[in-house]
Amino acid sequence: MDLSLEEKNLLNEYLVIQLQCKRQFSTEVLMRVSALAEFAAKVYLNKKYGDVIKDREGKSYLNIDKYPKIAATQGEHADKSQNLIGYSIILSMFESNSDSAEHLSSDSVFTEHLKNIVKNKKVRNMVSHTLNEVPADKFNLNEVLNDCFNLVFETLDISKTWNDYYDNQNNLLRKLLS
């Protein structure tokens, strides 16, 4: 594949989440989805808008020199490593052409699905910090997987047939074993 290491890691993470959804490992999915969304947002921003996020010492930072207007909006947070909320603000500023830091104010396909992941972050935090069960009425695995699918395939320029990668591999293995 003609993908960068970051893009390959993003696709792999999505495929792992997909497997965990099929196995109904909702807590595992919740733990991974936020990381996938952050990583997808970083890759998406850099691919679509060019050199927005820079890596330094294993952490991701806003490219302050290239985007001083966004840095001014983020204030004291501009020089700190970015997270899902930081990426959301940056993305909103690009997509809405606004000076506002209103999170995810645009209606692009990527942003629509990122909004859903941000909403699920409260459920994820509840599970990760208390080890409580995931409330069935607060979290739908299929919806989360759909959000992940859209984030990944809006970010990467790859065939949607990758969505069936593990199913195809399993079918191949069954044929070889029979």
Side-chain angles (χ1 to χ4, degrees):
M1 291 177 55
D2 189 25
L3 296 176
S4 70
L5 181 60
E6 276 187 332
E7 292 169 322
K8 288 177 187 176
N9 287 340
L10 179 60
L11 177 59
N12 183 63
E13 185 66 13
Y14 166 72
L15 292 171
V16 168
I17 289 171
Q18 182 189 56
L19 279 176
Q20 291 174 331
C21 281
K22 286 180 181 182
R23 294 175 182 158
Q24 299 293 303
F25 294 167
S26 54
T27 302
E28 278 295 315
V29 169
L30 275 172
M31 295 299 119
R32 289 182 171 270
V33 164
S34 185
L36 176 128
E38 277 187 30
F39 203 74
K42 173 184 163 182
V43 173
Y44 182 84
L45 282 165
N46 282 340
K47 281 182 78 171
K48 187 160 184 180
Y49 299 104
D51 207 22
V52 178
I53 305 298
K54 292 280 197 181
D55 286 334
R56 199 169 62 226
E57 299 175 13
K59 294 186 178 185
S60 300
Y61 297 88
L62 173 65
N63 185 346
I64 295 172
D65 296 332
K66 191 168 179 181
Y67 297 99
K69 188 175 176 183
I70 294 173
T73 300
Q74 286 193 343
E76 64 187 46
H77 297 288
D79 205 21
K80 295 188 169 127
S81 65
Q82 295 295 307
N83 60 22
L84 190 54
I85 299 303
Y87 292 137
S88 300
I89 293 168
I90 294 167
L91 189 59
S92 293
M93 292 183 71
F94 278 117
E95 291 186 347
S96 67
N97 295 321
S98 167
D99 291 339
S100 156
E102 181 184 342
H103 299 332
L104 302 169
S105 58
S106 84
D107 291 321
S108 73
V109 172
F110 185 90
T111 302
E112 174 189 335
H113 294 282
L114 192 60
K115 283 180 191 178
N116 295 337
I117 298 295
V118 170
K119 285 183 213 169
N120 279 324
K121 193 152 172 84
K122 287 181 184 176
V123 177
R124 180 243 181 239
N125 288 344
M126 179 185 69
V127 171
S128 70
H129 297 297
T130 65
L131 300 177
N132 290 336
E133 287 291 318
V134 178
D137 63 331
K138 301 265 187 212
F139 179 70
N140 181 311
L141 278 174
N142 291 329
E143 289 174 6
V144 170
L145 184 61
N146 181 53
D147 291 328
C148 291
F149 171 87
N150 281 287
L151 290 178
V152 170
F153 287 93
E154 283 293 314
T155 301
L156 303 178
D157 186 26
I158 59 173
S159 167
K160 292 199 176 17
T161 60
W162 276 99
N163 192 50
D164 301 322
Y165 177 75
Y166 283 124
D167 289 337
N168 293 337
Q169 292 301 307
N170 284 337
N171 289 336
L172 178 64
L173 286 172
R174 281 189 202 110
K175 285 180 186 176
L176 291 171
L177 292 171
S178 61

